[in-house]
Amino acid sequence: MNYQIAVLKGDGIGPEITESAVRVLEKTAVLTGHSFRFSEYLIGGIAVDETGVPLPEETVSGCLASDSVLLGAVGGPKWDSLPPELRPEKALLGIRSALGLYTNLRPARLFPALRGASPLKESVIGAGFDLLIVRELTGGIYFGERGYRTGKYGEEAFDTEAYSVTEIERIGRTAFSAAQKRRGKVTSIDKANVLETSRLWRRTMHRLAEEYPDVTFGDMLVDNAAMQLVRDPAQFDVIVTSNLFGNILSDEASQITGSIGMLASASLGDGTRGMYEPIHGSAPDIAGQNKANPLAAILSGAMMLRYSFGLTAEAEMIERAADRVLEAGFRTADIMGEHKGTPLSCSEMTEKILKAITAQPI
Ligand code: IPM
Ligand code: MG
């Protein structure tokens, strides 16, 4: 099959890790008889520098004309003082919204080879954990009304959160269906003891749960969930939550796996087009130094094959290659933990993956 993939490298380590992912996808295509065509578009700070805006119209139309989108990362100190409309992060929210990507899947599993890099104690890690955060991505406080006004104490800023039943239902259905294909458990996370949007969220999730009797359902307050994630992560299978809570909890979940540099994500809407990106950001401190861990970007490419193109076996080829390279003891700097040896560079790690895919000795 032929697929058209839009590549948005972005800022910081975005270009180096995205190039790694493209090379791995190209190799996979050659080995399996598919053809992937890649077209690059600007996003983030680099787009501001070159075109004056963080999300050029051409980028949106290029993505809409593609079968799927691969994204690196956006942002950096150089653009931090720009007005809100010109910030690189605004482009990320803009492209999620323009492509209708209301579901964000963020899997966090402990790679057995990386146990030593997890900050959790052996006794807490136990047999490991494998959870999936289903984060609502185009609603809530990220997209609500905001501004400045005069309040009781003078000038104040405000942001508002709104959620409709429709938005809660569609993300809920994604979570329940995902759980049916996993271990059959959904935990919905909210702040229903304080927030009205959370009370509507909770009522709606309870109603949906009745339609999925084969799924074990429970809810949890977000503060408790933050604690439970480090106390007993294995209790979770699928977590479904709002845009803001999902953003926060997914960083926490990634850290307990050993490194945020390992975790991939998929953003999906109603069709098959998705956007695939590592959870980590642009890491400006190590940008351009060939030190970044390319695995999250490479594994994002694997998620694209699985979720957008239905190429499960091809996705597994990439995932198995990553497991093999880690089990053989190869590490980038961020996942060294107590591991001995010299860390690999971004390009060296990419070479290892390319070899492992072709079943060559690594
Ligand atoms: C993420 C990031 C973004 C978010 C930022 C960069 C706008 O933290 O994808 O988790 O908050 O959604
Ligand atoms: Mg985040």
Side-chain angles (χ1 to χ4, degrees), residues 9 38-39 41-42 55 63 69-70 86 99-100 171 182 193 199 214 225 236 242 281 306 311 321 334 346 358 360:
K9 292 183 174 173
F38 299 92
S39 312
Y41 300 97
L42 295 171
L55 182 62
C63 291
V69 183
L70 188 66
L86 289 181
L99 301 178
I171 195 71
R182 293 172 47 99
N193 55 352
R199 288 193 266 269
D214 52 332
F236 297 108
S242 67
R306 174 175 288 114
L311 302 176
D334 59 310
C346 180
T358 48
Q360 287 177 51

Side-chain angles (χ1 to χ4, degrees), residues 281-298:
S282 58
D285 52 323
I286 56 163
Q289 298 173 31
N290 197 18
K291 278 189 193 160
N293 182 351
L295 287 171
I298 290 171

